[in-house]
Amino acid sequence: MPPPAALPEAARSHQPTRADRLVSLVLLLRQHGRLSAAALARELEVSTRTVLRDIEALSAAGVPVYAERGRHGGFALLPGFRTELTGLNHDEALALLVAGSRRGAQAFGLGSALASAMLKVVDALPESYRDTAAGAAERLLIDPETDLLSRRLVDEEVPDAIVAEVLRAVFAGHRLQIHYAAVDQTPKWCTVDPIGLVTVRDRGYLLATRSGADRTYRLSRILAAKRLAEPAQRPDRVDLGRTWEERSTRFRTGGDQVTVLVRVDPARREDLVSTALSVRAEEFDADGWLRMEMTFQDPRHAEWALWQLTTNAEALAPQWLRNSLRDRAAAIAARYEASS
């Protein structure tokens, strides 16, 4: 059997070196305290035999790794062990530089801090990595301010003072008093227990509880915020990804939702789908248009979404939606007819 072909140079450059793996192993132990050889193998995507060899290499290099026997044993570092692990390989540096170009940090008021951090990352890179990583990052553009149709993506403005106060409460684990302007409601003061912050399409959200009930607040609707001295009532650990998914699911399935049947020009499908809560079914009609069953948050939401597409979409059902769109179109036509 002929020997396996050598990896191309680009592929070899992406393979983690043993040094990278040893650093990752130490970081895992510092983060988790104790891990079994099997758990380390899963995290590092290597065999347990490789993990044991790496543990031996670390010990020989003076890193105080020790083994704990028994059913719940594993490997750990001696308490208080610290070491500088600041080396970045090319791909890791590129990932940081690309992350630094994302506009999502603006939603949390971290844009200037992120820019400063990126300068420090570049300055700390070995010279051989600095030019290639920075040059590669210049060839990747993430979330530009306009799309191909020159439609400007509008960022939500949140005063720095408000964002800073919210961040302090989230990180310190303190209760937060906010003056919040919900849609179509008079702004009110309320006290919440902050859980975490989420950014979606450059919109920032505060996940919190209020009197034990889940609440989600858009940062741009917080008019004022004050961190309180008392500790927040919240769990020590949180999985924000799962929490956000659960709340998103409840939002999509709650309220005064309506299901509508529409026909839409395939060229405008994404415009309509991006505003809907969900698409239950879709198929092509004989004329090439798409027939879709969709859900919207409420009747006003459905009417607004269909109106945006003008003659590129048609509401088929329910009848009240057809009537609403017809009456709106008639009112527009009558206004222009009267002025001619």
Side-chain angles (χ1 to χ4, degrees), residues 58-299:
L58 288 173
S59 297
V63 178
V65 183
Y66 68 98
E68 291 186 351
R69 307 297 180 184
R71 180 179 179 184
H72 299 291
F75 294 99
L77 296 169
L78 285 178
F81 170 72
R82 292 291 185 271
T83 186
E84 293 297 322
L85 296 171
T86 55
L88 292 173
N89 63 32
H90 176 273
D91 292 340
E92 291 167 342
L94 176 59
L96 282 175
L97 292 171
V98 172
S101 70
R102 294 190 63 85
R103 296 184 295 117
Q106 302 296 336
F108 298 147
L110 298 174
S112 59
L114 185 56
S116 176
M118 290 304 104
L119 289 174
K120 293 177 181 178
V121 167
V122 172
D123 185 66
L125 288 174
E127 187 173 353
S128 60
Y129 286 164
R130 189 180 303 155
D131 293 339
T132 56
E138 290 177 353
R139 298 182 181 276
L140 299 173
L141 177 61
I142 310 297
D143 290 341
E145 292 186 356
T146 59
D147 63 12
L148 284 174
L149 299 179
S150 296
R151 294 176 298 195
R152 188 172 182 83
L153 306 178
V154 181
D155 291 334
E156 293 191 335
E157 295 293 335
V158 185
D160 290 343
I162 292 177
V163 176
E165 197 70 4
V166 173
L167 282 170
R168 282 194 287 265
V170 170
F171 294 151
H174 288 185
R175 283 191 161 174
L176 182 68
Q177 196 173 55
I178 60 174
H179 193 211
Y180 192 72
V183 178
D184 298 330
Q185 294 185 24
T186 303
K188 297 179 180 178
W189 283 97
C190 60
T191 300
V192 302
D193 295 294
I195 295 175
L197 291 163
V198 175
T199 176
V200 180
R201 295 178 183 173
D202 296 327
R203 291 180 176 178
Y205 296 89
L206 168 66
L207 273 57
T209 60
R210 182 181 175 191
S211 300
D214 291 343
R215 293 288 186 269
T216 301
Y217 302 96
R218 187 180 294 185
L219 290 183
S220 62
R221 293 178 183 160
I222 298 179
L223 307 180
K226 180 181 180 181
R227 177 171 62 109
L228 304 180
E230 58 184 303
Q233 303 298 311
R234 66 181 190 181
D236 294 333
R237 302 293 299 272
V238 63
D239 184 339
L240 274 185
R242 178 177 296 179
T243 301
W244 177 256
E245 182 63 29
E246 291 173 350
R247 294 193 181 190
S248 299
T249 300
R250 287 201 298 270
F251 175 81
R252 292 193 301 269
T253 57
D256 301 322
Q257 290 187 13
V258 295
T259 299
V260 304
L261 183 63
V262 303
R263 294 178 71 251
V264 62
D265 183 340
R268 302 298 303 275
R269 178 190 181 279
E270 294 305 318
D271 295 328
L272 185 58
V273 169
S274 65
T275 64
L277 293 183
S278 65
V279 177
R280 295 188 173 184
E282 64 178 298
E283 61 181 2
F284 279 100
D285 271 349
D287 61 359
W289 274 36
L290 281 167
R291 182 180 292 256
M292 307 177 70
E293 184 180 358
M294 317 181 74
T295 58
F296 292 91
Q297 187 62 31
D298 52 39

Side-chain angles (χ1 to χ4, degrees), residues 22-44:
L22 292 176
V23 169
S24 298
L25 195 156
V26 174
L27 289 173
L28 285 170
L29 294 178
R30 280 175 54 175
Q31 179 181 357
H32 297 283
R34 180 177 66 245
L35 287 172
S36 67
L40 287 168
R42 285 194 301 271
E43 291 288 339
L44 299 171

Side-chain angles (χ1 to χ4, degrees), residues 311-331:
T311 58
N312 295 125
E314 177 189 0
L316 301 177
Q319 188 61 41
W320 62 260
L321 180 56
R322 290 179 60 86
N323 294 343
S324 295
L325 292 169
R326 179 201 61 204
D327 294 345
R328 177 181 284 201

